[in-house]
Amino acid sequence: EILAKSRKENRAGDEREIQILANSSKIGMAVGGILSAIIVVFSRVVNEPLLGLSAWAVYFSMFGSRRLYQFIQTKEKIRLLQAIIGIAFALACFVGMIILGLQQ
């Protein structure tokens, strides 16, 4: 009975696995942010703003969706605010990307 309860409580994995997943998510987002910034700088060098906007659209959509999921799970209002900001930035970059793409 105790073993069954433990298995039910730890369906997502043990604490170590959960912590590793959380840390890898943070590292992945940081690497994505750095790569997006490098792409934006490169897009300035080659005078191709569409490239930079697309990088930010992808990054902010990842950020916003991650925070939205965290809000759904935790109900922390700060996560909702972060999700709204991230999704708004993603949409703004996406719309800018479409507008620039249609002008070219």
Side-chain angles (χ1 to χ4, degrees):
E1 182 181 330
I2 292 171
L3 183 58
K5 282 184 180 179
S6 175
R7 285 184 182 149
K8 186 178 178 181
E9 289 174 359
N10 295 319
R11 283 186 185 168
D14 65 14
E15 285 185 41
R16 180 177 177 269
E17 289 172 349
I18 293 169
Q19 190 61 45
I20 289 170
L21 181 61
N23 288 342
S24 66
S25 176
K26 290 176 188 175
I27 291 169
M29 288 298 298
V31 170
I34 291 167
L35 185 58
S36 294
I38 291 169
I39 291 170
V40 167
V41 169
F42 178 73
S43 74
R44 295 285 185 147
V45 170
V46 297
N47 196 25
E48 188 59 52
L50 189 63
L51 184 62
L53 282 174
S54 62
W56 284 130
V58 170
Y59 176 77
F60 283 119
S61 62
M62 290 179 358
F63 176 84
S65 60
R66 179 176 181 233
R67 293 299 192 219
L68 182 61
Y69 179 79
Q70 289 174 338
F71 167 73
I72 291 168
Q73 296 299 314
T74 65
K75 303 297 184 220
E76 294 175 0
K77 293 188 193 294
I78 188 69
R79 302 288 184 214
L80 178 60
L81 177 62
Q82 292 168 336
I84 290 169
I85 291 169
I87 292 168
F89 274 47
L91 288 173
C93 290
F94 187 70
V95 168
M97 187 178 74
I98 290 172
I99 291 169
L100 276 176
L102 291 174
Q103 290 176 351
Q104 292 182 355

